[in-house]
Amino acid sequence: MHVLDILKENKISELRPPQKKVIDEGLFDKTKNFLICIPTASGKTLIGEMALLNHILDENKNLTGKKGLFIVPLKALANEKFDEFKEKYEKYGIKVGLSIGDFDTKENLSKFHIIITTSEKLDSLMRHEVEWINDVSLAVIDEIHLIGDNDRGGTLEVILTKLKNLNAQIVGLSATIGNPEELSDWLNAKLIVDEWRPVELKKGIYFENELEFVKSPAKKIKQVSKNNITDLIVDSVEEKGSCLIFCNSKRNAVGEAKKHNLTKYLTRTEQHELNKLSEEILSILDTPTETCKALSECIKKGIAFHHAGLTYQHRKIVEDGFRNRLIKVICCTPTLSAGLNLPCRRAIVRDIKRYSQNGLVDIPRMEIQQCIGRAGRPGLDPYGEGIIYIKNERDSEKAYEILTGSVENIYSKLANQKVLRIHILGLISTGEINDGQNLVNFMKNTFYAYQFGNIGAVLLNVSEVVGFLEKNKFLETSVLKKTENTVRELSFDSSNNLVLDSKETSFDLANPDSKVEFRSTKLGKRISELYIDPMSSEIIIEELYELKKKCAQLDRSKIDQYLFYLISKTNEMRPLLRVRPNEELDLILEMDKFGIKDYSAENVEAFKNSKMFCDWVSEIPEEIILEKYGVEPGILRYKVEQAKWMIYSTKEIAKLINLDSSEIYKALMEMELRIEYGAKEELIELLKVKNIGRARSRKLHNAGIRSKNEINNNPEKIFELFGEKIGKKILGELGMKYGQQTLLNFN
């Protein structure tokens, strides 16, 4: 078999039991779908790779012309798989593509055979009607249980429904699903469940230096400090193991990391290398924040923390340091368990509850199982330990239940009208659905309809969404209603409302006697391509017209702030900044100066959000933004990315509602660049050079250096301003290299 030959050429001489089982059950039959539920580190990804090779290469290892999708939940995981697949398979002529960028791009991926992407980006590509999608004969979905995720599940479900309609082979991969039979039935997939792991996973409960395993003898942990978790860490480190400690919040992850010090358990070489990582942490931002300084200090001691508040560069340093076994412990939030390849000897769950809008709630068992599944690195660890730390004996029964019980069932999230709005408009705008019958058939094929059972109720929900889209002129409908043996076409009035009999108010998709035809408007199609919630578009349009009325009374800085306020009201910008009681009155008084009279909690929060973005583009240092708004660098970067996208989308919508010659449109054009870099317009040219952030650009600008050429022509000045290390990075980006002797002369 050519697939197995290729594996041997890549030094995989023997398959693991679950991999053999999947092959025996017919993986290489391209007409059979599979749902594979096997533990972390047992070889799920390689099963997906085998399926990909089976479609892309024939028995003689020649390209078949078919494409395979590898769908992952995280951009970081997509990058990791892209590098891995390129190294392994490009020698066979297989071209590996990566698509995780902006939604509003129609990338030319036609030359690639394996395309690694996220479900959101794939959905966006389909909306741009890429022709190569018809060549896709296989889709591998990693972490397929995320179909039950509140935020992202709906998109994955729609993608899977489309793939079912394309008759592509579907291979779903997961370690934790409570109701796999239900999901496999919906996918018409062969279910493979196996508990085999390459490294034994011992599950246990830790309380007061006693580690009690579920199926192994208990172990007494030697007391070396006043902190029970420190004792547990040291016990692992002394046996050459590493630990992940999962905490219930970012703040607790930082606080936990600060409690431990492994300096005396580190070699001199390790201390030297960790000091270098510590310095690198401080060089990422122009001015290190308190979070950066805390992380830098922790790393010197062999500990780190990892959460969404860190920038991508910070997280990458921590991850690489852990993989290289320099950093011995990472204190993190459960999000780290979602796909990234960071196994360890000991996975410690510090908290089994967390705070939410509803107070203190249980962390889902599925999430905790994902966390402890990280324990045990094949080839490095003789075993793994998944441990729940409890603070009192009352929690022991609950912890035991989590370790031994089944995880929660997953449920469709497509009933959410926000999700339905986005996807129904997308399906109609691409022409995949053009009438009521098509829409009914599509919905019948979803996991939502499969689980809910009552298709009539599903279609009533869908009818409400179609009504909203029609009301906002994102789509147009024609209704042909059967009455006995005749058919009459119903017309529209001047407000685009249906003209019906006095007792009739709307069409009903659940009514088999009505026929509805759909077509998207130019505005609706563009909104679908922009991949934003149609309700957000409704807000944008209303607020653009409102701003147009106020433009004459507002100076340019206030127009800019109003635009930030406008996008902050959209669903894409949530969650918004929390408004403290002592801030509310001042914000309302300021809103009044803009002529904003709606002082609802959401609007006041949106206005506060707009002030943060104004500070960002006015070059206020991140440290001050953190202090003023409580927004850490990683979260700020995420919010800025969302704001950049919504400013671009607002500009595109403004064009379609004939505001493209206005002062508003001009402001949107300039703001699109400024929001990306967080700077005044005069710095944009300098900011395009990697390793030059806002503060360094301002420093260069103030020193009279205002372009790439001027950087190249003034290397001495660069080293004078920034020192050897940063100066070398900046000049290196522009292709300039300096020997050590030359560098020393600049000091």
Side-chain angles (χ1 to χ4, degrees):
M1 176 67 191
H2 68 295
V3 173
L4 302 180
D5 290 341
I6 291 169
L7 295 187
K8 284 177 186 172
E9 288 163 15
N10 282 277
K11 300 180 180 175
I12 300 170
S13 56
E14 187 176 356
L15 294 177
R16 294 170 174 174
Q19 296 163 344
K20 289 178 184 174
K21 183 191 281 191
V22 176
I23 290 175
D24 291 343
E25 292 288 351
L27 178 68
F28 297 141
D29 180 346
K30 296 171 187 174
T31 65
K32 290 179 78 170
N33 295 337
F34 283 84
L35 177 61
I36 298 155
C37 301
I38 58 178
T40 302
S42 58
K44 292 192 298 292
T45 300
L46 188 64
I47 292 171
E49 291 173 54
M50 289 192 289
L52 286 165
L53 293 170
N54 184 47
H55 280 259
I56 291 162
L57 298 177
D58 64 18
E59 287 291 338
N60 298 313
K61 299 180 190 174
N62 296 319
L63 294 165
T64 61
K66 292 298 182 183
K67 297 185 186 301
L69 299 169
F70 195 87
I71 302 168
V72 296
L74 301 171
K75 289 182 180 181
L77 188 57
N79 280 309
E80 188 180 287
K81 295 303 174 194
F82 174 66
D83 293 338
E84 184 185 330
F85 288 5
K86 270 175 70 79
E87 185 180 347
K88 285 163 82 171
Y89 302 126
E90 282 205 335
K91 58 193 169 194
Y92 301 101
I94 296 172
K95 292 182 178 174
V96 182
L98 177 68
S99 182
I100 54 174
D102 289 344
F103 291 129
D104 194 30
T105 50
K106 185 178 178 179
E107 299 164 89
N108 183 13
L109 296 166
S110 56
K111 65 180 180 180
F112 296 105
H113 307 108
I114 297 175
I115 297 166
I116 301 169
T117 186
T118 62
S119 54
E120 291 83 3
K121 185 58 196 283
L122 177 59
D123 188 33
S124 175
L125 288 166
M126 287 178 165
R127 287 172 189 229
H128 284 81
E129 299 174 65
V130 291
E131 292 177 5
W132 55 260
I133 202 71
N134 295 315
D135 296 325
V136 170
S137 61
L138 166 73
V140 178
I141 300 93
D142 199 14
E143 312 289 351
I144 195 171
H145 58 268
L146 290 173
I147 194 172
D149 183 75
N150 284 327
D151 297 323
R152 312 179 67 187
T155 299
L156 180 54
E157 182 176 339
V158 168
I159 284 294
L160 284 166
T161 307
K162 288 181 180 183
L163 290 168
K164 284 172 68 182
N165 292 340
L166 278 175
N167 293 318
Q169 184 183 15
I170 294 170
V171 177
L173 309 174
S174 177
T176 47
I177 300 179
N179 52 336
E181 297 84 3
E182 197 170 19
L183 185 58
S184 62
D185 282 350
W186 173 63
L187 290 170
N188 189 26
K190 176 71 180 176
L191 175 62
I192 305 291
V193 178
D194 202 298
E195 295 301 318
W196 183 91
R197 285 178 55 101
V199 175
E200 181 191 4
L201 176 63
K202 300 177 181 180
K203 298 179 183 181
I205 299 166
Y206 181 59
F207 177 63
E208 291 185 349
N209 289 84
E210 189 75 32
L211 183 49
E212 188 176 334
F213 290 106
V214 173
K215 293 182 180 177
S216 303
K219 179 179 180 180
K220 186 74 177 173
I221 302 298
K222 183 174 66 175
Q223 186 171 356
V224 295
S225 73
K226 294 178 181 177
N227 186 311
N228 290 158
I229 294 184
T230 298
D231 297 338
L232 195 58
I233 291 168
V234 169
D235 178 73
S236 182
V237 170
E238 285 188 321
E239 294 182 1
K240 308 298 180 191
S242 55
C243 301
L244 291 173
I245 302 177
F246 293 95
C247 305
N248 61 3
S249 69
K250 293 181 295 178
R251 179 181 292 179
N252 284 336
V254 176
E256 189 62 45
K258 287 178 176 179
K259 292 176 185 176
H260 310 293
N261 187 343
L262 296 176
T263 306
K264 68 179 182 179
Y265 303 98
L266 303 168
T267 66
R268 284 189 181 179
T269 302
E270 286 174 333
Q271 288 181 40
H272 176 70
E273 292 300 318
L274 286 167
N275 284 337
K276 282 168 40 177
L277 292 185
S278 173
E279 287 176 21
E280 200 176 341
I281 289 289
L282 295 176
S283 73
I284 299 297
L285 301 178
D286 293 329
T287 305
T289 64
E290 288 304 314
T291 304
C292 300
K293 292 172 188 172
L295 180 58
S296 175
E297 285 303 308
C298 285
I299 285 176
K300 287 178 186 175
K301 301 168 187 174
I303 311 277
F305 52 84
H306 185 294
H307 57 61
L310 300 178
T311 66
Y312 169 76
Q313 295 97 317
H314 286 130
R315 294 197 301 269
K316 186 81 165 57
I317 291 168
V318 169
E319 290 161 16
D320 290 344
F322 189 76
R323 285 193 187 102
N324 295 331
R325 310 190 83 179
L326 286 169
I327 294 172
K328 308 299 182 185
V329 179
I330 299 179
C331 300
C332 53
T333 52
T335 51
L336 185 67
S337 69
L340 281 182
N341 184 25
L342 284 181
C344 59
R345 171 76 58 80
R346 196 168 264 174
I348 304 163
V349 176
R350 198 199 76 154
D351 306 297
I352 57 175
K353 290 181 179 289
R354 66 171 162 233
Y355 284 97
S356 72
Q357 291 178 333
N358 302 317
L360 200 60
V361 298
D362 290 338
I363 294 175
R365 294 192 298 277
M366 178 186 284
E367 215 170 288
I368 292 176
Q369 291 286 0
Q370 287 273 357
C371 293
I372 64 176
R374 291 282 142 206
R377 295 177 293 182
L380 291 174
D381 291 317
Y383 55 86
E385 294 176 342
I387 298 165
I388 295 178
Y389 168 68
I390 58 172
K391 300 161 187 74
N392 55 69
E393 284 190 281
R394 292 193 310 274
D395 290 333
S396 60
E397 190 176 333
K398 180 73 175 174
Y400 183 81
E401 182 190 331
I402 292 168
L403 291 176
T404 58
S406 58
V407 300
E408 297 86 356
N409 289 351
I410 56 174
Y411 296 100
S412 169
K413 295 299 183 287
L414 202 53
N416 183 321
Q417 287 209 346
K418 175 190 172 184
V419 179
L420 280 175
R421 284 193 299 268
I422 293 170
H423 291 295
I424 289 174
L425 182 59
L427 289 161
I428 292 171
S429 71
T430 57
E432 291 172 82
I433 285 174
N434 55 24
D435 64 33
Q437 193 56 55
N438 289 160
L439 183 52
V440 169
N441 291 341
F442 185 91
M443 292 308 302
K444 280 181 176 177
N445 208 16
T446 62
F447 193 42
Y448 170 28
Y450 176 87
Q451 280 195 314
F452 197 67
N454 184 344
I455 190 63
V458 169
L459 295 177
L460 283 173
N461 193 15
V462 172
S463 293
E464 284 182 27
V465 169
V466 172
F468 170 85
L469 296 172
E470 182 195 19
K471 182 189 111 183
N472 283 281
K473 297 185 170 58
F474 300 150
L475 62 82
E476 296 169 345
T477 63
S478 300
V479 178
L480 298 169
K481 184 176 173 69
K482 293 179 182 178
T483 57
E484 296 182 357
N485 298 321
T486 62
V487 175
R488 62 185 178 85
E489 183 166 354
L490 302 175
S491 58
F492 300 87
D493 64 18
S494 58
S495 301
N496 206 32
N497 295 318
L498 290 171
V499 178
L500 302 168
D501 294 339
S502 59
K503 293 182 182 178
E504 296 176 310
T505 56
S506 68
F507 57 83
D508 178 4
L509 288 172
N511 181 354
D513 291 330
S514 67
K515 179 174 171 57
V516 191
E517 293 181 349
F518 305 119
R519 56 197 170 274
S520 65
T521 61
K522 190 176 179 183
L523 177 60
K525 183 165 180 61
R526 191 71 188 105
I527 287 164
S528 168
E529 290 171 345
L530 289 168
Y531 210 74
I532 60 177
D533 183 354
M535 184 173 279
S536 295
S537 305
E538 179 189 44
I539 292 166
I540 288 169
I541 291 166
E542 285 176 0
E543 290 295 344
L544 280 173
Y545 283 133
E546 191 64 30
L547 179 56
K548 185 182 178 185
K549 290 183 213 167
K550 297 175 178 177
C551 249
Q553 288 79 46
L554 301 176
D555 62 25
R556 180 53 188 275
S557 66
K558 282 192 166 56
I559 290 174
D560 288 347
Q561 185 170 351
Y562 199 99
L563 288 170
F564 284 136
Y565 165 70
L566 175 161
I567 64 165
S568 294
K569 291 181 69 174
T570 63
N571 290 325
E572 285 74 7
M573 295 306 297
R574 297 179 187 278
L576 296 170
L577 299 178
R578 188 172 63 85
V579 173
R580 302 183 190 94
N582 64 336
E583 297 176 309
E584 192 169 8
L585 181 58
D586 287 341
L587 287 167
I588 288 172
L589 291 172
E590 200 173 338
M591 289 168 74
D592 194 57
K593 292 176 185 175
F594 283 79
I596 301 169
K597 301 299 182 186
D598 181 350
Y599 307 131
S600 63
E602 293 84 359
N603 275 9
V604 177
E605 287 173 351
F607 193 78
K608 182 177 178 180
N609 227 51
S610 74
K611 289 171 69 67
M612 180 189 70
F613 288 130
C614 284
D615 282 355
W616 168 250
V617 298
S618 300
E619 299 175 37
I620 301 298
E622 287 175 81
E623 180 69 11
I624 293 175
I625 290 177
L626 172 57
E627 186 181 327
K628 191 173 174 182
Y629 300 100
V631 177
E632 295 159 310
I635 302 294
L636 178 61
R637 292 287 198 282
Y638 172 75
K639 286 182 177 293
V640 163
E641 277 299 308
Q642 292 298 98
K644 177 187 165 190
W645 183 247
M646 294 312 293
I647 287 286
Y648 170 75
S649 298
T650 302
K651 182 193 75 174
E652 291 296 296
I653 290 170
K655 249 194 272 187
L656 287 169
I657 61 172
N658 301 317
L659 291 178
D660 50 333
S661 58
S662 66
E663 183 71 16
I664 298 169
Y665 191 78
K666 183 183 174 186
L668 285 164
M669 290 279 286
E670 291 175 5
M671 195 53 68
E672 199 182 339
L673 286 170
R674 290 181 56 203
I675 189 69
E676 179 175 0
Y677 297 111
K680 296 174 182 174
E681 196 179 0
E682 64 208 44
L683 299 186
I684 298 300
E685 183 64 27
L686 288 171
L687 282 159
K688 291 175 182 175
V689 180
K690 196 174 175 183
N691 295 312
I692 298 183
R694 311 189 302 155
R696 289 173 192 157
S697 293
R698 176 55 61 195
K699 206 168 181 181
L700 285 169
H701 192 276
N702 292 345
I705 298 174
R706 297 173 184 185
S707 69
K708 291 180 183 180
N709 284 339
E710 288 174 3
I711 292 173
N712 271 330
N713 295 336
N714 293 279
E716 297 90 347
K717 191 73 176 172
I718 302 302
F719 286 107
E720 182 187 318
L721 287 169
F722 303 117
E724 177 183 324
K725 188 172 182 180
I726 302 299
K728 195 174 179 181
K729 273 187 179 181
I730 291 169
L731 293 169
E733 279 301 316
L734 298 174
M736 296 186 69
K737 293 183 181 177
Y738 283 82
Q740 188 65 31
Q741 185 62 44
T742 313
L743 291 174
L744 290 172
N745 290 338
F746 289 145
N747 291 340

